[in-house]
Amino acid sequence: MAEGCMRGLRYGMVFFNLLFWLGGCGILGVGVWLSVTQGNFATLSSSLPSLSAANLLIVVGTIIMVIGCLGCVGAVKESRPLLLSFFILLLLIFFLEILSITLFFVYQDQIDHYARRDLKRGLQLFGTEGNVGLTNAWMIVQTDFRCCGVTNHTDWFDVYNASRVPDSCCLEYSDNCGLENPGTWWTAPCYERVKDWLQENLVALWIFALCTALTQILGLVFSMTMFCHAVKVETFYA
């Protein structure tokens, strides 16, 4: 009976980690594709130029692949070192996630102030050589969210040293429309628009976070159960 339960647990963990590993492969593939085809796509920060969508996906995908591989091989071989390594890595990531969320809520005002300042500084790099990713990211954000600038459209006046905005700020896009009457531009601040979008999708974000936490907790329980069983078996046959 107990042996049958452990066999079922082992198969379940192998299947769980195989899906985990395949998910990591998919995320890594998308990150590599973005990196090759879009450069530093979605890089909005001037102080953290490496913090792009492509780089984040590559890092996250690689970590998921490594953890999934450890768990899968550890479950198949019932290897104590691999199961323990899987448990420790997953537990470390789980605690880092909790710490990050806690620090975010504690220092939310400071983070908010820093983000606004950093994004405004990044506007100065718009359209300059070597900053294609940042330029494309701002164009996409302003077009999709129907906004202009970080706090308002006048943020761009300091960039151009004139009363003009990028063409992506225009209500109806056309070449050099950013030189026309301000009445033809979006005036909503992009920072607030993105925050509003996150608020509107807060339920979905929390559901995703809870599902992720539940998956990690199940992985921790399964791996530690198998590790303890492997220790008992080795002790019994020692």
Side-chain angles (χ1 to χ4, degrees), residues 92-161:
L92 179 62
I93 290 173
F94 186 70
F95 280 140
L96 285 175
E97 289 170 348
I98 294 176
L99 179 62
S100 299
I101 293 172
T102 303
L103 289 175
F104 174 78
F105 283 110
V106 171
Y107 297 102
Q108 190 169 4
D109 291 338
Q110 292 92 323
I111 293 172
D112 192 69
H113 175 73
Y114 174 81
R116 289 176 188 268
R117 186 182 62 186
D118 190 57
L119 289 171
K120 281 187 177 181
R121 191 183 299 124
L123 295 182
Q124 301 294 330
L125 302 177
F126 183 88
T128 58
E129 186 177 354
N131 290 290
V132 177
L134 184 143
T135 302
N136 289 341
W138 269 113
M139 291 176 66
I140 292 170
V141 167
Q142 292 183 145
T143 301
D144 290 352
F145 286 92
R146 299 181 177 184
C147 58
C148 191
V150 179
T151 54
N152 56 59
H153 66 282
T154 59
D155 292 337
W156 290 109
F157 294 177
D158 294 330
V159 178
Y160 290 108
N161 293 318

Side-chain angles (χ1 to χ4, degrees), residues 68-94:
C69 185
L70 281 175
C72 191
V73 176
V76 170
K77 294 183 175 294
E78 292 192 19
S79 169
R80 289 192 304 163
L82 291 179
L83 288 171
L84 187 59
S85 298
F86 173 83
F87 178 84
I88 292 173
L89 282 175
L90 200 57
L91 184 64
L92 179 62
I93 290 173
F94 186 70

Side-chain angles (χ1 to χ4, degrees), residues 14-30 61-62 64-69 72:
V14 170
F15 180 72
F16 168 82
N17 282 285
L18 183 60
L19 291 179
F20 208 58
W21 184 80
L22 289 173
C25 289
I27 294 173
L28 177 62
V30 173
T62 302
I64 291 175
M65 282 181 62
V66 171
I67 294 176
C69 185
C72 191

